[in-house]
Amino acid sequence: MQESHETPGPVLRRFRETGEKMTLPGLDICIVGGGIGGLAAALALAGRGARVCVLEQAEAIREVGAGLQISPNGLRVLEALGLADALAARSVEGRAVSLRDFRGGAEVARLDLGRLGPKQRYFFVHRADLIDLLAVAARDRGVEIRLLQRAETIRPGTPPSVDLSTGDSRSAALVVGADGLHSKLRDALIGPAPPQFTGQVAWRAVIPNVTGQGPEAQVHMGPGCHMVSYPMRGGSVLNLVAVQEREAWAKEGWHHRDDPAHLRAAFATFGGAVPRMLAAVEEVHLWGLFRHAVAPRWVGGHCALLGDAAHPTLPFLAQGANMALEDAWALASALEGHDSLEAGLAAYQAVRLPRCKRIVAAASDNAWKYHLRPGPLRFAAHVALRLGTRLAPERFLRQFDWLYGFDVTRRG
């Protein structure tokens, strides 16, 4: 038996007939996916008066076993949502990025994040902590979060609808697909497209901070592989992401357990602090890294893509969560600022598509810099990094202004 819901036709018709600017109070919005992007969008939309329901397929709102980096551009959204202080309380504020040689762990270059500016703060946080923070705030703001709601099909239209694995169906004025890499809405808007394997796999693990690593991200760079580590939860644990080039590939997604011995074998030539970190790994997940094109079309039939569903990215610029936060704010702002749902959605796509394309391209271009083999190119690259960060550190960091200096909350 299908679940019936009143459609929001009268609300939308009022805007069209009177020429009023879109206001969100009374607008019924359904968000598919209870991850960072979906929950942030729910908060931003509910804060403007919309009636928001989040459909999440899991039995609980949670994320497991991974960390993420909230850079200044993503932090501005959390500030605007009133969550910056709560984030800071659950995070480690990053002070530097240390690029290191794989053999003995000697530092090649150091980026002082304090030089980004007094308002350009950078945080390392456990993904589960940020998810919990967003979910609690969303519920406090009246967002309905429905668990065990697996979307089978999303049907754009007037109104759009979501068919669930339970046999129920839900319609709304707007459906937002924040449903990740294998998005049902992406398939509905542009059709399925197979991803391309990058020739790289990655392991993720969370370990005790056995090396006493301070508030910095360390990148140990080796031939065809690299490992990133940074502290979380008051510095008590480290998040590890280890990437290796290989011809064979793992199933896409990262919820696939692997034997820690495989990780240790892949990085057996690494020295410095790496062996101690790898010795502490008790549970690890492995996933293949794939390239997906940024969706050429994000909106249609009163539906909108958001986050990884629109622009999945490789983890070499640490921008996946930050782009999703930007999307969430941009969507709510665009809808509030236009006189029809169609115009608001078109504005959302117009402002987000070029920026996300640039970020995804930059992330894709970053991997090779960490994987250089011993030889003249690696030597020259490391010399350039060392001199650039020591002799002109401010100028070196200015290359990131386009990324970190962006403030989506002051646009549109």
Side-chain angles (χ1 to χ4, degrees), residues 105-281:
E107 189 169 77
V108 174
R110 186 176 190 82
L111 284 70
D112 179 359
L113 295 175
R115 292 180 180 273
L116 289 172
K119 296 183 179 180
Q120 304 271 64
R121 302 175 75 191
Y122 202 109
F123 289 95
F124 307 131
V125 62
H126 197 293
R127 187 181 296 265
D129 294 339
L130 180 56
I131 288 284
D132 181 65
L133 181 66
L134 290 166
V136 169
R139 287 191 173 106
D140 286 347
R141 210 158 290 179
V143 173
E144 178 189 7
I145 299 177
R146 302 186 63 196
L147 305 174
L148 295 172
Q149 304 294 302
R150 182 185 182 87
E152 294 292 343
T153 306
I154 299 178
R155 304 178 188 277
T158 314
S161 62
V162 181
D163 297 334
L164 301 167
S165 60
T166 59
D168 293 338
S169 180
R170 184 178 184 94
S171 60
L174 170 66
V175 170
V176 178
D179 48 344
L181 290 172
H182 305 290
S183 169
K184 300 295 185 181
L185 180 56
R186 181 182 172 114
D187 287 351
L189 289 178
I190 65 174
Q196 301 297 315
F197 179 55
T198 64
Q200 299 174 95
V201 298
W203 289 269
R204 273 190 194 272
V206 176
I207 64 169
N209 190 353
V210 292
T211 61
Q213 184 170 322
E216 64 182 35
Q218 294 184 2
V219 184
H220 288 81
M221 307 176 292
C225 53
H226 76 277
M227 192 176 84
V228 179
S229 60
Y230 52 83
M232 306 179 298
R233 293 181 167 170
S236 63
V237 298
L238 293 177
N239 186 69
L240 303 184
V241 180
V243 177
Q244 180 193 43
E245 296 176 5
R246 64 160 68 166
E247 292 183 6
W249 53 272
K251 184 178 179 182
E252 187 176 13
W254 60 271
H255 291 286
H256 307 288
R257 287 198 178 190
D258 194 28
D259 187 334
H262 296 159
L263 169 60
R264 286 190 273 269
F267 288 80
T269 60
F270 278 56
V274 172
R276 278 178 289 160
M277 289 190 276
L278 295 183
V281 175

Side-chain angles (χ1 to χ4, degrees), residues 379-390:
F379 176 78
H382 284 196
V383 168
L385 276 172
R386 187 176 292 111
L387 292 177
T389 54
R390 290 182 182 177

